[in-house]
Amino acid sequence: MPGSEELPSTIARSSKKAQRTWIKAHDSAVETYGEGQRSHRTAFAALKHSFEKVGDHWEPKEKKGPSDAQAARSTPKQGKTAGGVDANASKQHLYDLAKRLDVPGRSSMTKQQLVEAIGKANNRKTAKARS
């Protein structure tokens, strides 16, 4: 099935460029691996090289590159990811993003805690947007 018909809601709420990136990567992965989770993981890994999840949508990153260890793999497999949060970004960037998302206690958090808190805030915003 073409990626345009399987577009996740968070990507549908994102820029046309983010949508094109995901669709192109998904369709290419389907040709290589067949339909299924592997194609979706591959498409998200490609998206994470240029975009990061902010709330209920994806925004362009300041610097291109993988956002976490899973996105850095050439063929992503099941495992823990940062859920679209750019875990490789600076602590200041993560703090600023946490501030935009109104994450409580952000000023005393470590970088890893900021990544996890932003991920939770993103999930809450996505769930709220679905309802």
Side-chain angles (χ1 to χ4, degrees), residues 95-109:
Y95 174 81
D96 293 342
L97 190 54
K99 189 174 183 179
R100 276 181 58 194
L101 295 169
D102 201 28
V103 172
R106 62 189 170 267
S107 61
S108 62
M109 291 182 180

Side-chain angles (χ1 to χ4, degrees), residues 1-114:
M1 184 177 292
S4 58
E5 295 177 22
E6 294 191 33
L7 202 62
S9 63
T10 58
I11 300 169
R13 287 188 290 274
S14 302
S15 70
K16 293 293 181 194
K17 185 174 181 183
Q19 292 175 20
R20 284 191 309 269
T21 300
W22 192 89
I23 291 167
K24 185 176 178 182
H26 176 269
D27 291 351
S28 177
V30 167
E31 288 178 22
T32 304
Y33 309 121
E35 187 60 55
Q37 284 188 355
R38 189 171 184 185
S39 296
H40 285 263
R41 287 192 307 268
T42 301
F44 273 109
L47 183 71
K48 290 176 184 180
H49 277 258
S50 300
F51 296 86
E52 65 182 325
K53 190 171 180 208
V54 179
D56 65 347
H57 64 283
W58 294 78
E59 294 182 1
K61 290 177 16 178
E62 294 176 1
K63 182 178 162 191
K64 290 185 178 186
S67 59
D68 57 38
Q70 279 291 84
R73 293 176 172 267
S74 60
T75 52
K77 57 183 178 178
Q78 288 180 325
K80 188 170 181 182
T81 70
V85 178
D86 187 3
N88 292 328
S90 68
K91 184 176 179 184
Q92 182 63 50
H93 174 77
L94 294 170
Y95 174 81
D96 293 342
L97 190 54
K99 189 174 183 179
R100 276 181 58 194
L101 295 169
D102 201 28
V103 172
R106 62 189 170 267
S107 61
S108 62
M109 291 182 180
T110 65
K111 185 174 177 180
Q112 185 57 41
Q113 289 171 328
L114 284 168

Side-chain angles (χ1 to χ4, degrees), residues 53 82-83 85 101 113-124:
K53 190 171 180 208
V85 178
L101 295 169
Q113 289 171 328
L114 284 168
V115 168
E116 291 169 10
I118 291 167
K120 288 177 184 177
N122 286 344
N123 292 341
R124 282 191 300 273

